[in-house]
Coordinates of all heavy atoms in Angstrom, one line a residue:
Chain A
V102 N -15.9 12.7 -0.5 CA -17.0 13.2 -1.3 C -18.4 12.6 -0.9 O -18.4 11.4 -0.7 CB -16.8 12.9 -2.8 CG1 -18.0 13.2 -3.7 CG2 -15.6 13.6 -3.3
P103 N -19.4 13.4 -0.7 CA -20.7 12.8 -0.4 C -21.1 11.8 -1.5 O -20.8 12.0 -2.7 CB -21.6 14.0 -0.5 CG -20.8 15.2 -0.2 CD -19.4 14.8 -0.8
S104 N -21.7 10.8 -1.0 CA -22.1 9.7 -1.9 C -22.9 10.2 -3.1 O -22.8 9.7 -4.2 CB -22.8 8.6 -1.2 OG -24.0 9.1 -0.6
S105 N -23.8 11.1 -2.8 CA -24.7 11.6 -3.9 C -23.8 12.2 -5.0 O -24.1 12.2 -6.2 CB -25.6 12.6 -3.4 OG -25.0 13.7 -2.7
V106 N -22.7 12.9 -4.6 CA -21.9 13.5 -5.6 C -21.1 12.5 -6.3 O -20.9 12.5 -7.5 CB -20.9 14.5 -4.9 CG1 -19.9 15.0 -5.9 CG2 -21.7 15.6 -4.2
A107 N -20.6 11.5 -5.6 CA -19.8 10.4 -6.2 C -20.7 9.7 -7.2 O -20.2 9.3 -8.3 CB -19.4 9.4 -5.2
Q108 N -21.9 9.6 -7.0 CA -22.9 8.9 -7.9 C -22.8 9.7 -9.2 O -22.8 9.1 -10.3 CB -24.3 8.9 -7.4 CG -24.4 7.9 -6.3 CD -25.7 8.2 -5.5 OE1 -26.6 8.8 -6.0 NE2 -25.8 7.6 -4.3
N109 N -22.9 11.0 -9.1 CA -22.9 11.8 -10.3 C -21.6 11.7 -11.1 O -21.5 11.7 -12.3 CB -23.1 13.3 -10.0 CG -24.5 13.6 -9.5 OD1 -25.4 12.8 -9.8 ND2 -24.6 14.6 -8.7
V110 N -20.5 11.6 -10.4 CA -19.2 11.5 -11.0 C -19.1 10.3 -11.9 O -18.7 10.3 -13.1 CB -18.1 11.3 -10.0 CG1 -16.8 11.0 -10.6 CG2 -18.0 12.6 -9.2
V111 N -19.7 9.2 -11.5 CA -19.6 8.0 -12.3 C -20.8 7.9 -13.2 O -20.9 7.0 -14.1 CB -19.5 6.8 -11.4 CG1 -19.2 5.5 -12.2 CG2 -18.3 7.0 -10.5
G112 N -21.8 8.8 -13.1 CA -22.9 8.7 -13.9 C -23.9 7.7 -13.5 O -24.8 7.3 -14.3
Q113 N -23.8 7.2 -12.3 CA -24.8 6.2 -11.9 C -25.9 6.9 -11.2 O -25.9 8.1 -10.8 CB -24.2 5.2 -10.9 CG -23.1 4.4 -11.5 CD -23.7 3.3 -12.4 OE1 -24.8 2.9 -12.2 NE2 -22.9 2.9 -13.4
S114 N -27.0 6.2 -10.9 CA -28.2 6.8 -10.4 C -28.3 6.6 -8.9 O -27.4 7.0 -8.1 CB -29.4 6.3 -11.1 OG -29.5 4.9 -11.0
T115 N -29.4 6.0 -8.4 CA -29.8 6.1 -7.1 C -28.9 5.6 -6.0 O -28.6 6.3 -5.0 CB -31.1 5.3 -6.9 OG1 -30.9 4.0 -7.4 CG2 -32.2 6.0 -7.7
E116 N -28.3 4.5 -6.2 CA -27.6 3.9 -5.0 C -26.1 4.1 -5.1 O -25.5 3.9 -6.1 CB -27.9 2.4 -5.0 CG -29.4 2.1 -4.7 CD -29.6 0.6 -4.8 OE1 -28.6 -0.2 -4.9 OE2 -30.8 0.2 -4.8
S117 N -25.6 4.4 -4.0 CA -24.1 4.7 -3.9 C -23.4 3.4 -4.1 O -22.2 3.4 -4.5 CB -23.8 5.2 -2.5 OG -24.0 4.2 -1.5
T118 N -24.1 2.3 -3.9 CA -23.4 1.0 -4.1 C -23.1 0.7 -5.5 O -22.1 0.1 -5.8 CB -24.3 -0.2 -3.6 OG1 -25.5 -0.1 -4.3 CG2 -24.6 -0.1 -2.2
K119 N -23.8 1.3 -6.4 CA -23.6 1.1 -7.8 C -22.2 1.7 -8.2 O -21.5 1.1 -9.0 CB -24.7 1.7 -8.7 CG -26.0 0.9 -8.5 CD -27.1 1.5 -9.4 CE -28.3 0.7 -9.3 NZ -29.4 1.4 -10.0
I120 N -22.0 2.9 -7.7 CA -20.7 3.5 -8.0 C -19.5 2.7 -7.5 O -18.5 2.5 -8.2 CB -20.6 4.9 -7.4 CG1 -19.2 5.3 -7.2 CG2 -21.4 5.1 -6.2 CD1 -19.0 6.6 -6.5
L121 N -19.8 2.0 -6.4 CA -18.6 1.3 -5.8 C -18.4 0.0 -6.5 O -17.3 -0.6 -6.5 CB -18.9 1.0 -4.3 CG -19.1 2.4 -3.6 CD1 -19.6 2.1 -2.1 CD2 -17.7 3.1 -3.5
S122 N -19.5 -0.6 -7.1 CA -19.3 -1.8 -7.8 C -18.9 -1.5 -9.3 O -18.7 -2.5 -10.1 CB -20.6 -2.7 -7.8 OG -21.6 -2.0 -8.3
N123 N -18.9 -0.3 -9.6 CA -18.5 0.1 -11.0 C -17.0 -0.1 -11.2 O -16.2 0.5 -10.5 CB -18.9 1.6 -11.3 CG -18.7 1.9 -12.7 OD1 -17.6 1.7 -13.3 ND2 -19.7 2.5 -13.3
P124 N -16.6 -0.9 -12.2 CA -15.2 -1.2 -12.4 C -14.3 0.1 -12.6 O -13.2 0.2 -12.2 CB -15.1 -2.0 -13.7 CG -16.5 -2.6 -13.7 CD -17.4 -1.6 -13.1
Q125 N -14.9 1.1 -13.2 CA -14.2 2.4 -13.5 C -13.8 3.0 -12.1 O -12.7 3.5 -12.0 CB -15.0 3.3 -14.3 CG -15.3 2.9 -15.7 CD -16.1 3.8 -16.5 OE1 -16.6 4.8 -15.9 NE2 -16.3 3.5 -17.8
F126 N -14.8 3.0 -11.3 CA -14.5 3.6 -9.9 C -13.4 2.9 -9.2 O -12.4 3.5 -8.7 CB -15.8 3.6 -9.1 CG -15.6 4.2 -7.7 CD1 -15.6 5.5 -7.5 CD2 -15.4 3.3 -6.6 CE1 -15.5 6.0 -6.3 CE2 -15.2 3.8 -5.4 CZ -15.3 5.2 -5.2
D127 N -13.5 1.6 -9.3 CA -12.5 0.7 -8.6 C -11.1 1.0 -9.2 O -10.1 1.1 -8.5 CB -12.8 -0.7 -8.7 CG -13.9 -1.1 -7.7 OD1 -14.0 -0.4 -6.8 OD2 -14.5 -2.2 -8.0
D128 N -11.1 1.1 -10.5 CA -9.8 1.3 -11.2 C -9.2 2.6 -10.8 O -8.0 2.7 -10.5 CB -10.0 1.2 -12.7 CG -10.2 -0.2 -13.2 OD1 -9.8 -1.1 -12.4 OD2 -10.7 -0.4 -14.3
V129 N -10.0 3.7 -10.9 CA -9.5 5.0 -10.5 C -8.9 5.0 -9.1 O -7.8 5.5 -8.9 CB -10.6 6.1 -10.6 CG1 -10.1 7.4 -10.1 CG2 -10.9 6.2 -12.1
L130 N -9.7 4.4 -8.2 CA -9.3 4.5 -6.8 C -8.1 3.6 -6.4 O -7.1 4.0 -6.1 CB -10.5 4.1 -5.9 CG -11.4 5.3 -5.6 CD1 -12.4 4.8 -4.6 CD2 -10.7 6.5 -5.1
T131 N -8.4 2.3 -6.5 CA -7.4 1.4 -5.9 C -6.3 1.0 -6.9 O -5.2 1.0 -6.5 CB -8.2 0.1 -5.4 OG1 -9.3 0.6 -4.7 CG2 -7.3 -0.7 -4.6
A132 N -6.7 0.7 -8.1 CA -5.7 0.2 -9.1 C -4.7 1.4 -9.3 O -3.5 1.2 -9.4 CB -6.4 -0.2 -10.3
A133 N -5.3 2.6 -9.4 CA -4.4 3.7 -9.6 C -3.5 3.9 -8.4 O -2.3 4.3 -8.6 CB -5.3 5.0 -9.8
A134 N -3.9 3.6 -7.3 CA -3.1 3.8 -6.1 C -2.0 2.8 -6.1 O -1.0 3.0 -5.5 CB -3.9 3.7 -4.9
N135 N -2.2 1.7 -6.7 CA -1.2 0.6 -6.6 C -0.5 0.3 -7.9 O 0.5 -0.5 -7.8 CB -1.9 -0.7 -6.1 CG -2.4 -0.5 -4.7 OD1 -1.7 -0.4 -3.7 ND2 -3.7 -0.3 -4.5
S136 N -0.9 0.8 -9.0 CA -0.3 0.4 -10.3 C 0.1 1.7 -11.0 O 0.2 1.6 -12.3 CB -1.2 -0.4 -11.1 OG -1.7 -1.5 -10.3
V137 N 0.4 2.7 -10.4 CA 0.5 4.0 -11.1 C 1.8 4.0 -11.9 O 1.9 4.8 -12.9 CB 0.6 5.2 -10.1 CG1 -0.7 5.5 -9.6 CG2 1.6 4.8 -9.0
N138 N 2.8 3.3 -11.7 CA 4.0 3.3 -12.4 C 4.0 2.4 -13.7 O 4.9 2.4 -14.4 CB 5.2 2.9 -11.5 CG 5.4 4.0 -10.5 OD1 5.3 5.2 -10.8 ND2 5.8 3.6 -9.3
S139 N 2.9 1.6 -13.8 CA 2.9 0.8 -14.9 C 2.5 1.5 -16.2 O 1.9 2.6 -16.1 CB 1.9 -0.4 -14.7 OG 0.7 -0.1 -15.3
M140 N 2.8 1.0 -17.4 CA 2.5 1.7 -18.6 C 1.0 1.8 -18.8 O 0.4 2.6 -19.5 CB 3.1 1.0 -19.8 CG 4.6 1.2 -19.9 SD 5.1 3.0 -19.9 CE 4.4 3.3 -21.6
N141 N 0.3 0.8 -18.3 CA -1.2 0.8 -18.4 C -1.9 1.3 -17.2 O -2.8 0.7 -16.6 CB -1.7 -0.7 -18.7 CG -1.1 -1.2 -20.0 OD1 -1.0 -0.4 -21.0 ND2 -0.8 -2.5 -20.0
S142 N -1.4 2.4 -16.8 CA -1.9 3.0 -15.5 C -3.5 3.1 -15.6 O -4.0 3.6 -16.5 CB -1.4 4.4 -15.4 OG -2.1 5.0 -14.3
P143 N -4.1 2.6 -14.6 CA -5.5 2.6 -14.5 C -6.1 4.0 -14.4 O -7.3 4.2 -14.6 CB -5.9 1.8 -13.3 CG -4.6 1.0 -13.0 CD -3.5 1.8 -13.5
I144 N -5.2 4.9 -14.1 CA -5.7 6.3 -14.1 C -6.3 6.7 -15.5 O -7.1 7.6 -15.7 CB -4.5 7.3 -13.8 CG1 -4.2 7.1 -12.3 CG2 -4.9 8.7 -14.0 CD1 -3.0 7.9 -11.8
A145 N -5.9 5.9 -16.5 CA -6.3 6.2 -17.9 C -7.8 6.1 -18.0 O -8.4 6.6 -18.9 CB -5.7 5.2 -18.8
V146 N -8.5 5.4 -17.1 CA -9.9 5.3 -17.2 C -10.6 6.6 -16.7 O -11.8 6.9 -16.9 CB -10.5 4.2 -16.3 CG1 -9.9 2.9 -16.7 CG2 -10.3 4.5 -14.9
A147 N -9.8 7.5 -16.2 CA -10.4 8.8 -15.6 C -11.1 9.6 -16.7 O -12.1 10.2 -16.4 CB -9.3 9.6 -15.0
P148 N -10.6 9.6 -18.0 CA -11.4 10.4 -18.9 C -12.8 10.0 -19.0 O -13.7 10.8 -19.4 CB -10.7 10.1 -20.2 CG -9.3 9.8 -19.8 CD -9.4 9.1 -18.5
N149 N -13.2 8.8 -18.7 CA -14.6 8.4 -18.7 C -15.4 9.1 -17.7 O -16.6 9.2 -17.8 CB -14.7 6.9 -18.5 CG -14.1 6.1 -19.6 OD1 -14.1 6.5 -20.7 ND2 -13.5 5.0 -19.3
L150 N -14.7 9.7 -16.7 CA -15.4 10.4 -15.6 C -15.7 11.8 -16.0 O -16.5 12.5 -15.5 CB -14.6 10.4 -14.3 CG -14.2 9.0 -13.8 CD1 -13.5 9.2 -12.5 CD2 -15.4 8.2 -13.5
I151 N -14.8 12.3 -17.0 CA -14.8 13.8 -17.2 C -16.1 14.3 -17.7 O -16.5 15.4 -17.2 CB -13.7 14.1 -18.2 CG1 -12.3 13.7 -17.7 CG2 -13.7 15.6 -18.6 CD1 -12.0 14.2 -16.4

Side-chain angles (χ1 to χ4, degrees):
Chain A
V102 173
S104 60
S105 59
V106 174
Q108 288 162 19
N109 290 336
V110 172
V111 187
Q113 295 287 334
S114 56
T115 54
E116 297 174 7
S117 64
T118 56
K119 290 182 180 176
I120 154 186
L121 299 171
S122 59
N123 187 307
Q125 293 179 358
F126 179 81
D127 282 340
D128 286 340
V129 171
L130 275 188
T131 312
N135 293 289
S136 309
V137 285
N138 291 323
S139 100
M140 287 302 293
N141 295 324
S142 171
I144 290 177
V146 302
N149 294 326
L150 305 181
I151 302 304

